[in-house]
Amino acid sequence: MEETGRKKPKFVAVVLAAGTGSRMHSDVKKQYMELRGLPVVVRSLLRFEENELIDSVVLVTGRDDLQLALSLSLKYNLRKVKNIVEGGDQRYKSVYNGAKAAGEDTDYILIHDGARPLVSDELITRCCREVVLSRACVAAVPVKDTIKRCDTSGFAAETLERASLFAVQTPQAFSYPLFMEAYANLFRTIRAYHPDESKITDDAMIVEAMSDQKVKLIPGDYKNIKLTTPEDMVIAEAFL
Ligand code: CTP
Ligand code: MG
């Protein structure tokens, strides 16, 4: 950290596991599926448990899975998991519930998809170091495919310039006061204008739209995939 001599900033990770995993089409929700002998979310939690800069972890899960989450955190001795809270019907609501539980003494929060079990220790550390400098940063990788925008009839309308396109991953890390202020602004905007909430797909969007803070893209990792569809499980197993 740049601030030697000062108190170490408090980093809290919010790990999200409150989705339904509809695109995985599995009986067990994807975050609780076993991947080489360990549930996916446990693998994600262990990465934060083992990182020396992370102070504590908030686990966000569905109401029906609160007991399961608690028993897993005991079984795998996840000492940093200090809170297990219920999520919401949209990702950003799950994020907010987790962020509230982090507590007022938090300096920085790292939001992470529980469905990204391959996040590396180096990437978590990189996020922690960069957020102290820039106040808002997200892991991202250059897109490999050519991306086109299509018109409403399904015809290619535009080919976007690949060199400026990045696929955003998690962790996404923010100054805690900045993040909570952006959310307060978001809720005011939702009350006033009732926008389409399904368009809020990541946390950085909220900070970009609801504060003056610029969000820095930092190098992510192509291995840090989000388990979304069944073939992603095969890819993750191969990486492990
Ligand atoms: N998530 C959450 N609360 C929600 C929606 C998503 O905590 N209301 C979490 C998921 O559990 C996952 C992460 O956010 O770890 C990324 O979301 P995504 O991959 O879209 O997962 P799901 O929404 O569960 O899957 P799907 O969109 O296929 O239904
Ligand atoms: Mg989803």
Side-chain angles (χ1 to χ4, degrees):
M1 297 293 99
E2 28 94 83
E3 327 163 272
T4 41
R6 277 208 257 154
K7 182 174 111 349
K8 177 198 169 293
K10 183 179 174 189
F11 294 99
V12 178
V14 172
V15 174
L16 299 171
T20 52
S22 56
R23 288 170 287 177
M24 190 59 79
H25 301 292
S26 58
D27 298 335
V28 177
K29 287 183 202 113
K30 63 180 182 179
Q31 58 272 36
Y32 293 108
M33 281 166 71
E34 294 236 335
L35 183 62
R36 295 241 164 172
L38 285 177
V40 165
V41 69
V42 169
R43 288 194 176 273
S44 305
L45 292 165
L46 281 168
R47 294 296 167 95
F48 291 91
E49 186 76 24
E50 288 160 5
N51 183 279
E52 58 175 25
L53 294 174
I54 298 295
D55 292 283
S56 64
V57 177
V58 177
L59 174 57
V60 186
T61 196
R63 181 180 298 177
D64 296 344
D65 296 321
L66 290 168
Q67 275 305 322
L68 171 62
L70 178 62
S71 64
L72 289 175
S73 77
L74 295 172
K75 177 173 177 189
Y76 293 100
N77 200 19
L78 302 170
R79 292 156 187 268
K80 288 187 188 172
V81 176
K82 298 287 198 292
N83 306 76
I84 299 175
V85 300
E86 192 179 321
D89 60 348
Q90 304 273 338
R91 186 180 180 284
Y92 80 90
K93 294 179 189 165
S94 298
V95 168
Y96 185 64
N97 289 356
K100 272 189 301 188
E104 291 291 319
D105 61 340
T106 304
D107 295 301
Y108 300 99
I109 52 166
L110 283 79
I111 313 293
H112 187 66
D113 294 330
R116 287 187 197 268
L118 301 178
V119 61
S120 69
D121 189 61
E122 296 75 46
L123 181 53
I124 295 171
T125 297
R126 198 180 303 145
C127 285
C128 291
R129 292 193 191 288
E130 185 55 46
V131 74
V132 172
L133 302 173
S134 63
R135 301 182 76 220
C137 66
V138 309
V141 288
V143 301
K144 297 182 190 179
D145 296 316
T146 292
I147 310 278
K148 288 186 191 286
R149 204 174 51 71
C150 76
D151 63 21
T152 48
S153 341
F155 287 92
E158 186 188 3
T159 303
L160 303 173
E161 192 201 314
R162 192 168 57 200
S164 67
L165 294 174
F166 289 81
V168 165
Q169 305 182 331
T170 66
Q172 309 207 352
F174 307 95
S175 140
Y176 188 70
L178 166 80
F179 191 77
M180 295 310 271
E181 182 57 33
Y183 261 78
N185 289 337
L186 172 73
F187 289 125
R188 276 195 283 275
T189 306
I190 288 175
R191 275 196 301 273
Y193 303 107
H194 308 286
D196 178 0
E197 294 169 53
S198 69
K199 293 208 171 116
I200 307 172
T201 54
D202 90 331
D203 323 307
M205 272 174 79
I206 293 169
V207 171
E208 286 158 33
M210 297 292 154
S211 80
D212 298 329
Q213 178 67 45
K214 286 201 161 198
V215 177
K216 180 143 188 195
L217 299 189
I218 63 165
D221 179 355
Y222 284 117
K223 285 189 186 159
N224 179 25
I225 60 168
K226 179 161 70 69
L227 302 177
T228 306
T229 54
E231 53 271 27
D232 295 327
M233 296 300 286
V234 182
I235 297 170
E237 274 179 21
F239 282 140
L240 285 166

